[in-house]
Amino acid sequence: MDLEIRHLTHRYDSLDVMRDINLTISSGEIVCVVGPSGCGKSTLLRLIGGLEQPTEGEILQVGRPPEGSLNPLTYIFQDFALLPWRTVWGNISLVLEGHGLGKAEIDRRISDVLSRTRLSDFAAVYPRQLSGGMKQRVAIARALAVGPAVLLMDEPLSALDSQTRELLMDDLVSLWEREQFTACYITHNLNEAVRLGHRVVVLSRRPGEIRETVEITIPIPERSVDNPHLARIQRQLWEMMREEALSADRQLNDA
Ligand SMILES: Nc1ncnc2c1ncn2[C@@H]1O[C@H](COP(=O)(O)OP(=O)(O)OP(=O)(O)O)[C@@H](O)[C@H]1O
């Protein structure tokens, strides 16, 4: 399933948050969205997910979600949002309950995502026993359990230390290599954007407009940390964002 975002404009009272965003996210593609603080990145994700209605414009789902999808547009947040009193298994089970699935199907789905995210040995463990990186792995497994068409990822690695972030990036790369998931990935971190994005969309300061879309043709599994081409793209992205970030810093919140 593809997502087509057409002429998306959003306002909160007199605050113009984003203006005329046009973007297609194709099946199997990771589109990273970067931009200065407050330019509307999280709002864009909420609009895509249907949590809020845009002031103007539309978001079209083109094609069919995967067979058995319970929730075509599924979020992954930076704070993991796991229930402390449920085990890893129980946390994943939670998103499958209430959909009319039988126990055998729920068990099958949980075993499947645990194995796909290499968490099978941690099924009976509670979140408090896990590191931040492992908690986010569980959150990713939970998102996959509902069979999403598009993952909506809001700074999923930003709560993690830099080493854990590297490890989780590797995880996401190998997951994408195995099953080409589709994602809209919001991040402040340009290194993450160039490692994981097929395209990087740069938003201007508020009201966020698309300033540039940079396509990265190096296959995702071949993007090493020290790749000079990626480093060059990352520098270009920063040059595009620098002025916007400086102005955004001085921008007041009352429009
Ligand atoms: N529900 C709301 N009501 C009013 N204003 C809001 C609401 N949600 C967000 N805003 C404002 O809209 C603007 C965009 O917010 P948003 O969180 O989407 O930006 P962002 O680019 O994700 O920011 P950051 O990078 O700091 O996370 C901000 O000025 C924010 O204060």
Side-chain angles (χ1 to χ4, degrees), residues 33-38 41-42 78 155 158 185-193 238 241:
V33 179
V34 299
S37 203
K41 300 181 295 296
S42 297
Q78 59 172 278
E155 302 197 37
S158 65
Y185 189 108
I186 304 286
T187 180
H188 273 116
N189 186 310
L190 299 180
N191 182 254
E192 260 168 63
W238 174 236
M241 273 185 56

Side-chain angles (χ1 to χ4, degrees), residues 68-141:
S69 176
L70 302 176
N71 189 10
L73 303 170
T74 302
Y75 286 91
I76 296 177
F77 298 104
Q78 59 172 278
D79 64 359
F80 328 127
L82 300 177
L83 294 179
W85 57 87
R86 285 197 172 214
T87 59
V88 166
W89 183 281
N91 266 282
I92 301 173
S93 164
L94 189 67
V95 296
L96 300 172
E97 293 161 11
H99 288 281
L101 302 177
K103 183 177 178 312
E105 172 61 7
I106 290 181
D107 289 354
R108 188 197 65 74
R109 283 191 184 228
I110 300 174
S111 300
D112 175 48
V113 290
L114 287 176
S115 124
R116 280 155 62 195
T117 51
R118 302 183 171 142
L119 283 171
S120 302
D121 292 344
F122 297 88
V125 159
Y126 286 90
R128 67 170 181 280
Q129 298 172 272
L130 295 172
S131 66
M134 290 298 281
K135 284 183 194 154
Q136 192 56 298
R137 283 193 184 90
V138 176
I140 292 168

Side-chain angles (χ1 to χ4, degrees), residues 12 15 17 36-43 46 155 188 206 253:
Y12 290 113
L15 188 75
V17 177
S37 203
C39 74
K41 300 181 295 296
S42 297
T43 304
R46 289 199 300 277
E155 302 197 37
H188 273 116
R206 201 183 64 231
N253 227 1

